[in-house]
Amino acid sequence: MLLAAPLAPARTAVTRTAYWARLLPPLAALACATRIPSFVRPLWNPDEGFLAVQARLLAQGGRLYDTVVDRKPPLLPWLYQAAFALCGSDSLTPLRVLAVLAQLLTAALLASLARRRWGDRAGRTAGVLYLLVSVGLNPEDAQAATFEVFMLPATAAALWCADRGRWGAAGAAVAAAFLTKQTGGAVLLPVAWLLHQRGGPRAGPARLAAGFAVPVLGAALATDPGGFLFWTVTGSASYASVTGSELHVLARALTNTAILAAASAGLLPPVVRALRTARTASTGAADLWLWLAASAGAVSLGCHFFGHYYLQLTPPLALLATAALHVLPRHRHRTAVLTSACCCALFVSWGLLAPRPGLAHAERLAAALAHRTAPGDRVLVWGIHPETYWLARRTPATRYLTAGLLTNYSGGRDGPQVGEKYAVAGAWPVFRREMAVHAPVLVVDDSRGEPYAPDRLPTLSRLLAADYTEAGRVDGAVLYARTP
């Protein structure tokens, strides 16, 4: 009996190790299987193209929030830059692999949370359900290696740390989510609620605040504090306006909500049942409802409702379904997993078979650019597909990689608030200066009748009329060569 007490911790450690040794391999296999479509296309959406071009510019000595700009925090551009430095910049395959690992990490953290609260089976259920629903959107949203995919492990880690009372680490995880994409900071709400509910140590709030503030301040100082604040927080007021585009925005919101609801056909019935019977309180899921509500608010922030925004809903949704299934009969558990697996198979098939006409267009434009210019030449692609620069291996003539930053069209607005006066503050004087210093050898007007066409923009129209002549057309895009 004297030996029993010392052996107990070792036995617990062995049990824990055995559990994860059995669970992680199938989770890894499932993560790989659900993301097979991501490897069959060189690019999935313009965000990947934007990040790829940014990474190349940073590698050439560009400065984030100065000569390389976007309305996003710095972590993902830095990750792309590091991947390119190690593996070359001609392929996004390394980022695809990292995306699989990010999904696996998210699933493992959710499994750990569920296991701690509801037992071993719940842990397995949470990890599997998350991976099955994580690809339940349009493939260009779900399969791309962009912001939400890399933000989600940090949001899950924030809840994981808060659940264990590690408030400094929870704050750092919230900061990592925020520094990947601003809306990742929404997870601070359930984390703060857990701190309040559990009556943590007196130093808990200070640790949480310091854990968040130190990485954010470090990122600001590592770039440019004023530029960091402007591009990530204060400089996007016009981007959030929906004036004149209300029906356009509503249609996108309803469409993407319906797609995710279809993908969640196995998860929603138990969640709705638990909500109706008010049984979630007994399963300890109140913080998860707050997480889901905060994530829904983050999806709605700015009123854009792009499909990839909805990925932020999937971790709390998977945990809520797990909590509900924990108190339901066992056959409901099998039904939920099987239904989710069938839905997942449909979305993976969609990703493998869906055509990508936008990518084909960008590839043809890139081929024309590469043919008509030399590797050291500067070019301007006037459109919303920055991947053309990356595919052509040509350097942009301006820091504004899309017409959206100069016209406010980047949110897909189709109303009246598109034009020079709705640009990012101070953008057009910088653009004019860059066009003089880095005069592009070739300008590609890829607007194709959209509201940001050059004939609606006096500055660009005058520039083309004075210094360029039409040199050809590709898929409706007009190529302008610089007049000798």
Side-chain angles (χ1 to χ4, degrees), residues 59-151:
Q60 295 168 9
R63 298 184 301 278
L64 204 54
Y65 307 125
D66 182 8
T67 58
V68 181
V69 298
D70 190 17
R71 292 185 173 102
K72 296 293 191 300
L75 281 193
L76 202 50
W78 285 341
L79 180 64
Y80 267 64
Q81 181 186 4
F84 282 1
L86 290 173
C87 305
S89 63
D90 291 333
S91 171
L92 295 186
T93 297
L95 280 307
R96 310 276 193 235
V97 174
L98 291 175
V100 173
L101 295 177
Q103 292 290 59
L104 176 59
L105 178 57
T106 305
L109 288 167
L110 297 179
S112 181
L113 266 168
R115 185 190 185 212
R116 176 180 168 88
R117 295 188 180 192
W118 308 299
D120 288 358
R121 190 182 77 167
R124 293 189 293 269
T125 300
V128 169
L129 288 181
Y130 168 72
L131 290 173
L132 292 176
V133 78
S134 67
V135 292
L137 288 162
N138 188 313
E140 69 179 41
D141 296 310
Q143 296 291 342
T146 52
F147 299 96
E148 286 78 12
V149 169
F150 292 101
M151 175 184 77

Side-chain angles (χ1 to χ4, degrees), residues 300-391:
S300 304
L301 188 67
C303 298
H304 287 84
F305 299 103
F306 291 122
H308 50 89
Y309 289 11
Y310 286 73
L311 290 172
Q312 193 165 352
L313 300 174
T314 54
L317 189 59
L319 282 178
L320 283 168
T322 302
L325 291 169
H326 175 64
V327 295
L328 291 175
R330 193 177 185 89
H331 72 274
R332 298 293 298 272
H333 175 275
R334 291 193 296 269
T335 301
V337 173
L338 182 59
T339 303
S340 297
C342 292
C343 293
C344 178
L346 290 175
F347 279 93
V348 170
S349 299
W350 183 9
L352 290 171
L353 301 175
R356 290 281 292 123
L359 174 60
H361 171 76
E363 289 176 328
R364 285 190 288 270
L365 272 188
L369 271 178
H371 177 70
R372 292 172 177 268
T373 60
D377 289 340
R378 297 260 186 168
V379 298
L380 173 67
V381 179
W382 186 254
I384 56 172
H385 293 283
E387 61 267 31
T388 306
Y389 292 116
W390 180 70
L391 293 167

